[in-house]
Amino acid sequence: MSPTVFFVAIVSSMLVNNIVLLRFLGICPFLGVSKRSETAVGMSAAVMFVMVVSSVLTYLIYYYILEPFEIPYISTIAFILVIASLVQLVEMFIKKISKKLYKSLGIYLPLIVTNCAIIGIAETNVREGYATEYGVLPGLGVATVSALGAALGFALVIFAFSTIRERLEAADVPPAWKGIPISLVIAGIMALAFLGLEGLV
Amino acid sequence: MLPKLKIALILFVIGAVSGAGIVGVNSFTEDIIEANRLREEHEAYFDIFGLDMPEEFDVDEEPQDVYCRREVKGYDADRETIGEIVFFCVADEDVYERAVAYDKDGNRLGQVFRVDDVNNHGEISTLVAFDGNFEILDVRIVHTTNTPNYVQRIEDDYLGDFAGQDIRDVDFYDGSTGATITYNSIRQAVNLTAANAEADRVLDAYRKVYPEADNYERAFDYTLGCIRYRDAVYDIEGNLLGHVYMAQYDDEGHDPIDLVVAVEDETFKDVVVAREDQASETLMDALDKYRDYTGEHVGDIDIAAYDDTVYDSSITHLLEQSFVRCVEDDEQRELREFFRWATRTGEVETIDNDYVESYQPYYDEDDELLGHVYIGEMDTSDLTDDYSGGLLRIKVSIDLDGLIHNAVIEEINESNFANDLLEEEIARYRGMEGPMEEEDVSDAFSSATYSGDALNTIIEAIYAHNGENIEEGE
Amino acid sequence: MAKPKKDPGLLAVFTKGIIKENPVFVALLGLCPALAVTSSLETGLGMGVLVVFVLTLSNIVVSLIRRLIPEEIMIPSYIIVIATFVTIVEMLTEAFAPALFDSLGIFIPLIVANCLIMSRAVAYASENNVGRSAIDGLGMAVGFGLALGLIGLTREFLATGAIAYGVFIPLPVEGAILGFDIAPLNMEVFVGPAGGFIVIGVWLAVFNAIGLYKSRKRKEAWDRWVEKKKREKAEKKKQKAMESAGGSA
């Protein structure tokens, strides 16, 4: 397996198949915490951490427990439970080790359980068939890198979007369009821009 | 403590009920999902060939068949046959399977190759269909996890370009398709189909001599001369039908003409034109005359008798060459059993070794040493008192890289049952490098265990000796 | 959502999910599927049907077991209940509507992460009886489905000029209605990702505008009513004053 595989995986999941704008995962936090760039950065960090760790865990569970026992059809339940417990654990852990980190990251963690981007990436990793192409363990590498790329793509888009929205506060928007409607149209225009990256890899 | 137990219990009960529910629904839907999948998969095949969409399918699988033949018949609402698709495995591992389509009267409509690929966007399965003239009928994606937008783009803008082209010479779109990875998988599918379709063209030629022909194996590649290959032709069950010689008449000023000459046991069987587009009337007339010799021994045929058409002298030459090859082949057949390219053998060297009796070097036509053929033996009754075996004698060919080309049993004194098992056992050595690891040696059968051990011991001894030979050779 | 002060009728419980508290257009819940599976009317409605099943059933079960579950494990228990129904619905869809299953793809298992379902379980079903919870779930899910249908209808029509039926949802007939030739306009972007955002944005603005118009009207009506009352009061005062003046006179 050549290193280009990882490069392609990261570019593909970060830009070409951007998780928010082209795959519609994680729209709730995308709209919910993008009013200010500070909160956007905090949320991105939390998402990145949970996404990468949960990807590794769900991947291992899928290929070392669900597949051998021939019960891949319960993957949805298994994944959501893993993610929910993981988020709980991380929250308790962060609370213990650093009050400061907890203040900046902790408040986003409970929101993450209902962030479909996390379970969406977990499901995508097993659906993309990395394990069939590269073998189970090398496939884990590709899956992890893709998850990282997806999280980076999330961070990139949500940060850019939050800066736009900060500017928008000062703009004179017709009352019916204020808030979410105009934001969605802007997201649409951003998605158009990302469509230009299609076929990059 | 107690409240914690209660919590655990409640969670457990919820989990158990949910698990039971899911397993129940799964056992109910599993078969339906599988049936759906089969239907979806087969409907595409009927659709490609313009057949009506069947209401009902009848899937007939022959599990033991080496070609994993699977017949799928489609019926309309009144149980009238609409058509039939017959699936086969393909030797080329990159091709998932090959299917031949027939209409309700049994006319052959064409073939479909299914190629499964895993690219950077996920899985993609492509069907490539072409008719008897190698004209592409359709290229379509039947299953994919690639990005839907890309797949849609490929389907809308590029797949249509394939229809009507010659599968052997396809014009691919070589600009940016905007979905390069997906398009590359399609390109690969078409190329693989073309490569395998060519093989099928050879088979089509052989079917003119042996209508049941379903597979062939290159028995010999002559590289030089007008006779190009000798192929062994098999039917669907893997039985050998006979050998054919592919002869090419390549005279300046003419297009090359491929002839298929069938000779069985040094008896002339038939000669036909390999490709329809070369079958001119004069040529067919010329060939017809040679069919009078059908059933005669090749040594008795005076093929120089005909010389009145433009083709005759060349056909005569080709047949002559085939017959010469045939006689030569029969002489060398035994040589080639051990080394495919062997043309002569060297002196037999007898050696004094417990299990290795002698060895003999084999050479190809350029006098290059190919490897050695060993004869090894062992008396299995010596192994233990309560076992009445006997002499086991085997012949093994090992090349200079240590690869076992062939291994056969020369003499054996066992029950018939053990004989069969040992035949199977020795077949496993062919194509192996060196003696088997202990865990690879079959211990599944009891009546031939001692012989199996003996077999491995002999081959090990031979292999050890071959190591010395190779060193000496270097 | 707080517990209703007085018991509204069952009909009101049902209809509030469709209009007043519409999950997509008012509460902005479940926007991921609202964007991802609404490239056609049928996929949008199909998703709606699946959510109807999951939300109604999960509300019923949550309401049934609400007194048994200690608070500490409320969320994990509800997650298991919801995920179970999602898995069951997923398997049934694959068996009986394979085309819909393929087109919804990953968004069927993702129903599990749809905030709408969890929020109804926590906010309503865990505090109300089975009948009300079922009606609430049904109403919310129907509102969700109708919203998705509306978005899907808009996008499909703008992009293709027609509305297909029987393609994804297994209906006995298959075909398309309307069917304007709008190919020259080249508006395929509306079935693409960008179109999803823009169409939802525009619909939200439309509903906002209607809302603003209504509240303005209501305000005007209120103002008029206040004005009227004031006038009446003033008149009464005047009359009283006159009466008292007349009486004293």
Side-chain angles (χ1 to χ4, degrees):
Chain A
M1 190 165 64
S2 68
T4 44
V5 171
F6 293 105
F7 180 71
V8 168
I10 208 162
V11 172
S12 161
S13 64
M14 180 175 168
L15 300 173
V16 182
N17 289 308
N18 187 280
I19 183 168
V20 180
L21 294 178
L22 302 178
R23 281 196 280 178
F24 306 120
L25 296 173
I27 301 292
C28 291
F30 176 64
L31 293 174
V33 298
S34 59
K35 271 194 192 133
R36 296 190 26 204
S37 47
E38 271 167 55
T39 53
V41 170
M43 185 65 178
S44 301
V47 163
M48 199 179 300
F49 182 78
V50 176
M51 194 179 276
V52 172
V53 178
S54 71
S55 283
V56 174
L57 285 179
T58 53
Y59 185 96
L60 291 175
I61 284 174
Y62 189 86
Y63 286 105
Y64 287 99
I65 298 176
L66 301 186
E67 282 265 277
F69 286 100
E70 294 180 357
I71 44 169
Y73 52 84
I74 66 154
S75 61
T76 309
I77 287 199
F79 288 3
I80 192 82
L81 285 178
V82 166
I83 291 165
S85 340
L86 178 74
V87 169
Q88 284 273 307
L89 279 178
V90 170
E91 199 181 348
M92 290 193 298
F93 183 68
I94 292 184
K95 209 173 188 174
K96 271 247 159 72
I97 58 159
S98 158
K99 272 260 143 59
K100 212 174 149 198
L101 192 64
Y102 180 73
K103 260 194 180 154
S104 57
L105 214 66
I107 44 168
Y108 303 106
L109 284 170
L111 292 175
I112 282 181
V113 182
T114 49
N115 180 348
C116 52
I118 308 288
I119 187 168
I121 288 296
E123 284 274 349
T124 310
N125 278 339
V126 295
R127 283 179 186 223
E128 289 275 326
Y130 298 127
T132 25
E133 190 181 2
Y134 307 110
V136 174
L137 277 181
L140 174 62
V142 182
T144 314
V145 167
S146 308
L148 180 66
L152 287 172
F154 178 84
L156 174 77
V157 168
I158 199 172
F159 181 73
F161 191 58
S162 66
T163 54
I164 296 176
R165 282 186 75 176
E166 278 176 356
R167 284 285 189 107
L168 214 58
E169 302 251 306
D172 183 20
V173 178
W177 289 88
K178 267 211 170 99
I180 299 292
I182 190 76
S183 306
L184 278 169
V185 173
I186 286 167
I189 294 165
M190 284 175 80
L192 271 182
F194 269 74
L195 274 185
L197 298 168
E198 211 175 2
L200 190 66
V201 290
Chain B
M1 197 61 215
L2 217 60
K4 278 209 174 134
L5 255 173
K6 194 186 156 201
I7 286 178
L9 195 70
I10 290 175
L11 273 181
F12 178 77
V13 170
I14 294 177
V17 171
S18 120
I22 290 176
V23 170
V25 176
N26 181 60
S27 64
F28 164 64
T29 54
E30 209 172 26
D31 295 341
I32 304 176
I33 292 171
E34 179 62 16
N36 277 345
R37 199 188 57 72
L38 275 177
R39 163 177 293 267
E40 199 181 338
E41 193 178 310
H42 295 140
E43 274 179 345
Y45 288 84
F46 283 85
D47 190 40
I48 284 175
F49 292 101
L51 295 167
D52 291 336
M53 205 52 76
E55 291 289 322
E56 233 178 290
F57 291 94
D58 191 1
V59 180
D60 178 22
E61 279 182 74
E62 292 174 34
Q64 292 303 313
D65 193 70
V66 276
Y67 301 105
C68 31
R69 184 187 166 93
R70 192 172 91 235
E71 286 174 19
V72 178
K73 280 203 173 93
Y75 303 98
D76 64 10
D78 309 325
R79 275 303 274 190
E80 294 283 325
T81 311
I82 290 175
E84 186 182 8
I85 315 283
V86 185
F87 294 86
F88 302 100
C89 294
V90 179
D92 187 338
E93 279 179 9
D94 294 326
V95 177
Y96 181 76
E97 63 186 359
R98 172 170 81 88
V100 183
Y102 302 91
D103 68 7
K104 62 176 191 297
D105 305 319
N107 299 320
R108 193 178 155 116
L109 297 172
Q111 294 190 70
V112 194
F113 280 70
R114 174 170 157 196
V115 180
D116 286 4
D117 188 25
V118 180
N119 60 27
N120 278 317
H121 292 332
E123 302 153 17
I124 178 161
S125 300
T126 314
L127 296 188
V128 183
F130 54 95
D131 65 9
N133 301 320
F134 295 96
E135 189 183 300
I136 298 182
L137 297 170
D138 200 358
V139 175
R140 66 168 73 177
I141 300 167
V142 282
H143 163 81
T144 182
T145 55
N146 278 208
T147 321
N149 290 335
Y150 299 172
V151 174
Q152 193 63 46
R153 172 173 303 185
I154 293 287
E155 282 177 341
D156 290 351
D157 299 350
Y158 299 101
L159 289 189
D161 296 348
F162 289 113
Q165 294 200 51
D166 190 309
I167 185 80
R168 293 160 297 182
D169 182 25
V170 177
D171 225 356
F172 290 102
Y173 184 78
D174 61 359
S176 164
T177 61
T180 313
I181 291 177
T182 306
Y183 191 76
N184 277 345
S185 291
I186 305 281
R187 178 198 300 259
Q188 192 197 343
V190 173
N191 281 335
L192 278 168
T193 304
N196 286 284
E198 192 72 8
D200 191 66
R201 181 165 69 154
V202 175
L203 203 55
D204 277 343
Y206 294 165
R207 285 204 181 99
K208 290 176 187 164
V209 182
Y210 299 107
E212 321 78 287
D214 190 70
N215 196 16
Y216 69 93
E217 204 171 70
R218 187 119 310 161
F220 203 87
D221 188 340
Y222 295 99
T223 45
L224 291 171
C226 53
I227 310 297
R228 296 160 69 207
Y229 317 110
R230 176 164 64 85
D231 287 344
V233 184
Y234 301 92
D235 72 3
I236 190 107
E237 274 145 13
N239 301 322
L240 180 69
L241 295 168
H243 283 84
V244 292
Y245 292 84
M246 185 67 116
Q248 190 172 62
Y249 160 54
D250 193 2
D251 195 7
E252 273 181 45
H254 289 93
D255 287 333
I257 293 167
D258 296 313
L259 294 182
V260 177
V261 184
V263 186
E264 267 171 26
D265 296 333
E266 301 192 12
T267 307
F268 175 61
K269 185 172 160 61
D270 204 356
V271 53
V272 295
V273 189
R275 288 166 52 185
E276 288 302 331
D277 56 338
Q278 299 170 340
S280 69
E281 217 165 289
T282 2
L283 180 59
M284 298 300 273
D285 285 348
L287 290 184
D288 254 350
K289 286 181 287 192
Y290 293 96
R291 296 215 173 87
D292 295 346
Y293 291 116
T294 303
E296 282 193 41
H297 190 272
V298 290
D300 302 338
I301 301 175
D302 182 12
I303 35 184
Y306 294 100
D307 59 356
D308 54 351
T309 72
V310 281
Y311 292 111
D312 261 6
S313 61
S314 351
I315 297 172
T316 308
H317 178 67
L318 291 179
L319 288 182
E320 222 165 26
Q321 286 293 312
S322 303
F323 297 160
V324 169
R325 286 290 190 196
C326 164
V327 176
E328 264 179 23
D329 280 350
D330 278 348
E331 283 166 2
Q332 297 193 336
R333 197 159 285 167
E334 207 196 336
L335 293 185
R336 291 195 182 123
E337 250 176 60
F338 291 94
F339 288 105
R340 184 176 269 196
W341 310 99
T343 54
R344 71 172 190 86
T345 57
E347 296 268 304
V348 178
E349 295 270 344
T350 315
I351 39 172
D352 189 21
N353 184 303
D354 276 353
Y355 305 120
V356 189
E357 195 192 82
S358 67
Y359 69 88
Q360 189 178 19
Y362 274 54
Y363 300 92
D364 69 4
E365 56 186 355
D366 302 326
D367 261 0
E368 291 267 354
L369 177 63
L370 292 167
H372 301 83
V373 175
Y374 292 84
I375 292 176
E377 58 181 30
M378 185 176 187
D379 196 339
T380 50
S381 55
D382 291 350
L383 283 169
T384 158
D385 290 343
D386 58 347
Y387 182 68
S388 61
L391 189 71
L392 173 69
R393 196 180 156 90
I394 62 169
K395 206 168 169 183
V396 181
S397 57
I398 307 179
D399 73 11
L400 297 178
D401 298 322
L403 186 78
I404 297 180
H405 281 227
N406 201 358
V408 293
I409 293 170
E410 292 263 296
E411 197 181 333
I412 187 167
N413 294 289
E414 298 269 3
S415 67
N416 283 339
F417 175 63
N419 276 359
D420 291 346
L421 289 173
L422 218 55
E423 284 290 349
E424 265 176 42
E425 190 74 350
I426 199 161
R428 292 170 45 184
Y429 284 97
R430 291 171 198 146
M432 294 265 321
E433 263 181 84
M436 286 191 180
E437 297 293 324
E438 204 149 316
E439 60 261 30
D440 291 334
V441 180
S442 171
D443 54 5
F445 46 89
S446 54
S447 58
T449 309
Y450 290 119
S451 307
D453 284 347
L455 185 66
N456 206 41
T457 313
I458 302 172
I459 290 183
E460 237 170 82
I462 289 175
Y463 206 77
H465 196 269
N466 188 58
E468 292 168 26
N469 263 348
I470 293 173
E471 272 170 34
E472 272 173 35
E474 282 168 351
Chain C
M1 201 195 80
K3 204 174 171 177
K5 278 168 202 149
K6 61 172 189 190
D7 274 359
L10 282 183
L11 190 69
V13 174
F14 179 73
T15 52
K16 76 170 189 303
I18 298 175
I19 299 161
K20 223 171 79 195
E21 290 176 28
N22 186 291
V24 177
F25 291 124
V26 180
L28 297 172
L29 292 173
L31 278 183
C32 296
L35 283 158
V37 302
T38 53
S39 55
S40 74
L41 171 68
E42 276 202 315
T43 47
L45 284 182
M47 181 52 118
V49 172
L50 302 194
V51 171
V52 165
F53 276 112
V54 174
L55 186 50
T56 313
L57 291 173
S58 74
N59 260 10
I60 290 175
V61 171
V62 164
S63 170
L64 277 174
I65 61 172
R66 68 186 194 276
R67 287 188 220 285
L68 297 173
I69 308 287
E71 192 147 344
E72 298 97 308
I73 54 161
M74 193 173 85
I75 301 288
S77 311
Y78 292 177
I79 286 181
I80 299 180
V81 171
I82 294 169
T84 307
F85 284 121
V86 170
T87 309
I88 289 175
V89 163
E90 181 181 7
M91 292 194 281
L92 291 174
T93 315
E94 186 171 9
F96 297 107
L100 185 66
F101 177 83
D102 282 344
S103 69
L104 297 184
I106 197 172
F107 285 92
I108 300 180
L110 288 191
I111 296 175
V112 89
N114 189 330
C115 348
L116 170 65
I117 317 252
M118 187 51 109
S119 73
R120 291 331 287 171
V122 174
Y124 199 92
S126 65
E127 290 172 1
N128 286 281
N129 66 26
V130 178
R132 284 184 173 278
S133 301
I135 298 291
D136 171 78
L138 191 65
M140 282 291 169
V142 167
F144 181 76
L146 288 178
L148 261 61
L150 178 65
I151 300 164
L153 182 95
T154 318
R155 289 176 70 185
E156 187 178 1
F157 181 73
L158 287 177
T160 65
I163 303 296
Y165 56 89
V167 181
F168 296 112
I169 297 178
L171 298 175
V173 282
E174 202 174 298
I177 46 167
L178 299 172
F180 295 94
D181 182 23
I182 58 159
L185 297 177
N186 222 344
M187 298 209 291
E188 271 152 41
V189 69
F190 281 104
V191 287
F197 283 107
I198 292 172
V199 166
I200 295 191
V202 171
W203 272 121
L204 271 177
V206 169
F207 288 123
N208 272 355
I210 294 174
L212 286 174
Y213 176 76
K214 269 191 176 165
S215 62
R216 204 171 62 226
K217 281 274 175 242
R218 216 176 304 137
K219 196 167 178 297
E220 281 170 8
W222 169 257
D223 287 348
R224 270 201 304 275
W225 186 77
V226 171
E227 197 73 9
K228 203 173 132 201
K229 280 277 166 204
K230 263 188 191 161
R231 254 203 324 270
E232 275 173 14
K233 235 180 186 171
E235 246 162 56
K236 252 185 194 159
K237 226 177 172 179
K238 225 164 137 188
Q239 224 170 2
K240 244 184 188 167
M242 267 168 64
E243 264 170 30
S244 66
S248 65

